[in-house]
């Protein structure tokens, strides 16, 4: 992905150039190995396998992992995710945006506004802990964290060696 000398945002995919739009001062883009996310104003787009999809009209926060993009939609107060070619809601009716979000490969970890620690992995949301972890990271198919009670180390998912 690049912005050419005329200001056009282009994505080169499978030997073909895809024109997206003209970049403005409210334009930003992020690239992973599999997805490209870009935002114009508050509108968030995802380019995946030769197709562009508008995933949110009112997005101020988004997080890019290797194969996953998470975003907070300010119009309906939902935490959404674009994963595996589809756009879905992870958690709805949030009173505020998540406190912390980290995206990895195929996995998303976040602390919601109530302080609950949750993990999205392959389309399912797991309540990982009822308290905010001391620290956490999302990796490739795995989330590691230190819990907020006993300060023990935990992992969710499967590790690749």
């Amino acid at each position: 992905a690049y912005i050419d000398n005329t200001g056009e945002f282009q994505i080169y995919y499978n030997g073909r150039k895809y024109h997206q739009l003209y970049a403005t001062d409210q334009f930003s883009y992020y690239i992973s190995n599999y997805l490209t996310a870009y935002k114009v104003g508050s509108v968030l787009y995802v380019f995946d396998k030769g197709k562009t999809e508008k995933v949110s009209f009112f997005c101020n926060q988004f997080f890019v992992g290797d194969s996953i993009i998470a975003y907070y939609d300010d119009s309906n107060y939902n935490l959404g995710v674009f994963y595996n070619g589809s756009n879905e809601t992870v958690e709805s009716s949030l009173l505020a945006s998540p406190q912390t979000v980290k995206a990895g490969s195929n996995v998303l970890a976040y602390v919601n506004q109530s302080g609950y620690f949750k993990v999205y992995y392959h389309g399912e949301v797991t309540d990982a802990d009822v308290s905010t972890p001391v620290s956490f990271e999302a990796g490739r198919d795995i989330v590691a964290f230190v819990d907020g009670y006993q300060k023990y180390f935990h992992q969710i998912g499967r590790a690749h060696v």
Side-chain angles (χ1 to χ4, degrees):
Y2 62 95
I3 299 172
D4 68 15
N5 61 349
T6 65
E8 283 187 79
F9 178 57
Q10 310 271 359
I11 296 175
Y12 192 77
Y13 175 75
N14 274 353
R16 194 168 156 217
K17 190 169 29 172
Y18 293 84
H19 168 72
Q20 299 301 300
L21 47 78
Y22 285 95
T24 67
D25 60 339
Q26 294 185 354
F27 174 79
S28 58
Y29 70 98
Y30 300 88
I31 302 169
S32 72
N33 286 336
Y34 301 102
L35 301 170
T36 301
Y38 60 95
K39 198 169 101 164
V40 180
S42 63
V43 181
L44 178 64
Y45 300 85
V46 174
F47 180 87
D48 180 30
K49 297 177 185 163
K51 296 180 183 174
T52 300
E53 185 173 335
K54 202 176 295 178
V55 295
S56 175
F57 286 98
F58 299 100
C59 173
N60 283 321
Q61 296 179 339
F62 69 100
F63 310 89
V64 178
D66 192 42
S67 56
I68 192 168
I69 295 173
Y71 59 92
Y72 180 71
D73 192 311
D74 293 303
S75 67
N76 55 20
Y77 310 108
N78 291 343
L79 177 64
V81 67
F82 185 90
Y83 175 70
N84 206 19
S86 67
N87 188 22
E88 61 186 83
T89 300
V90 174
E91 190 167 348
S92 61
S93 302
L94 295 171
L95 299 174
S97 61
Q99 295 176 14
T100 311
V101 179
K102 295 189 180 178
S105 294
N106 303 315
V107 68
L108 175 75
Y110 67 97
V111 177
N112 71 9
Q113 85 281 351
S114 300
Y116 294 162
F117 181 51
K118 299 188 176 194
V119 174
Y120 173 92
Y121 182 62
H122 287 296
E124 294 185 25
V125 178
T126 302
D127 294 330
D129 205 345
V130 295
S131 67
T132 304
V134 173
S135 64
F136 69 96
E137 291 296 330
R140 181 175 175 209
D141 295 314
I142 191 166
V143 172
F145 68 98
V146 176
D147 71 63
Y149 286 130
Q150 298 176 323
K151 313 292 189 267
Y152 288 154
F153 176 80
H154 305 272
Q155 74 179 32
I156 297 172
R158 62 174 203 260
H160 294 275
V161 181

